[in-house]
Amino acid sequence: MGQMALHAQPGLDSFAAAGGDPLALSREGWGALLQSWGWERFHGFQAFRALHRRHLASWDEAREVPRRLREQLENRLPIIWPVIDERFISGDGTVRSLLRLKDGEHVEAVFLPDEVFEGPAGLKRRRTTLCISSQAGCPVNCQFCLTALLGLRRNLGAGEIAGQVLTLVHEHGLRRGTGPCDRLNVVYMGMGEPMLNYEAVMQSVRLLCDDEGLALPPRRVTISTAGIVEKIRRFGTEPVRPRLAISLNASSEDQRQALMPIHRGQGGFAALLAAAREFPLAKRERLTFEYVLLAGINDTDADAGRLLQLLQGIRAKVNLIPWNQGPELSWQTPSPERVQGFQARLLAGGLPAFVRRPRGLDVFAACGQLSRRRAGAYTINMQSP
Ligand code: SF4
């Protein structure tokens, strides 16, 4: 295979960067790759569809592909999906999975089923959300996050990121156009800072949004960042651009620096909020700011007032996330009255604010908890079904 020729083709760079993972290859990339093997371009598109629409376990199942090509693919590009090693089912239907990647590394992904929401004309619709990881561990040392305690183990490839979604879609019977959900959302809010693995994350988005694959609308994908300013600006220029969420969690420079030590290195609020202000939003789109409420730390009315000032002039909404009590970190959860008070202050200031309902509290609710447990940081007496 001529590497020079391949690198000039769309999608093949990320394919090479991901160590030749067939799950990382774009539809166009598949066309170019199979042409370089002497096949037709459309054979490549068939291979892409077999993976991204049908989630085939092996090339042998791709009956639409000529047998000789199936054999070549099996020998040269065997399919290795992330494998669900452990699965924990909450009483509220949330399923947390620990997925094993091909080198034995593990990441967490969460299935959040069946939230009922009001659709057009007041119709009740159902929404399913998948939360996935972009890195194994994380290099960003947020003080309220268990994943931070793992450090960065490694970046995931685009195929490993998209593969989490496809594995969960298959596992939970959410096939495109069928299955129990009207609407599938994917949020990059699991382990890792997506903007520090930018190329692979964006390639995974393009894979998931391809019409011949899962065909997720980009507006149903959300990338959450701790605030990597340069990448936020670049993200705004992407042709396939999901929604953006910024994990803010503080109302003053010192507070944010203490909770998220990456803050000052990124230029503080001035740089972060300038990037937010200049972010090119679509009509009716709002930038999401996430705010983990920690009792006695960032949950006072004064905090809410400062938050209102900070976000002035930004078409924003705020998701309030009362701290999930877990092992190893000693923050406290604010009372429901305090959460309500904080929300009321934001609403009174004209800022849409929502309280995120805690999900899966009985199954290691905090991101990173499964991995910390697996790494032997603690034991919890719970059986995986
Ligand atoms: S909150 Fe996100 S960015 Fe911060 S340490 Fe955890 S995984 Fe990394």
Side-chain angles (χ1 to χ4, degrees), residues 280-339:
L281 293 170
K283 218 172 155 185
R284 288 202 289 274
E285 183 182 1
R286 284 182 186 273
L287 209 49
T288 300
F289 287 89
E290 294 160 313
Y291 195 101
V292 175
L293 285 163
L294 305 165
I297 304 291
N298 64 357
D299 67 340
T300 65
D301 277 352
D303 285 301
R306 282 194 295 269
L307 187 55
L308 278 170
Q309 275 179 350
L310 284 172
L311 301 188
Q312 230 169 34
I314 302 175
R315 210 194 309 152
K317 67 175 175 176
V318 176
N319 281 342
L320 299 171
I321 307 160
W323 164 251
N324 266 343
Q325 205 72 49
E328 299 193 80
L329 300 173
S330 56
W331 308 105
Q332 299 296 314
T333 309
S335 68
E337 297 73 34
R338 182 77 299 266
V339 174

Side-chain angles (χ1 to χ4, degrees), residues 138 140-142 144-145 147-148 190-193 226 260 367:
C138 184
V140 180
N141 190 18
C142 301
F144 48 82
C145 175
T147 300
M191 301 167 80
E193 163 53 60
M260 304 176 76
C367 173

Side-chain angles (χ1 to χ4, degrees), residues 198-199 202 206 233-242:
Y198 189 86
E199 305 295 345
M202 289 314 300
R206 290 187 289 270
R233 291 188 177 279
R234 183 166 162 201
F235 184 67
T237 67
E238 291 287 346
V240 180
R241 199 267 290 160

Side-chain angles (χ1 to χ4, degrees), residues 158-179:
E160 293 174 322
I161 300 170
Q164 294 167 61
V165 174
L166 294 160
T167 296
L168 293 191
V169 161
H170 185 71
E171 171 78 5
H172 296 285
L174 306 172
R175 300 207 176 205
R176 182 176 179 267
T178 61

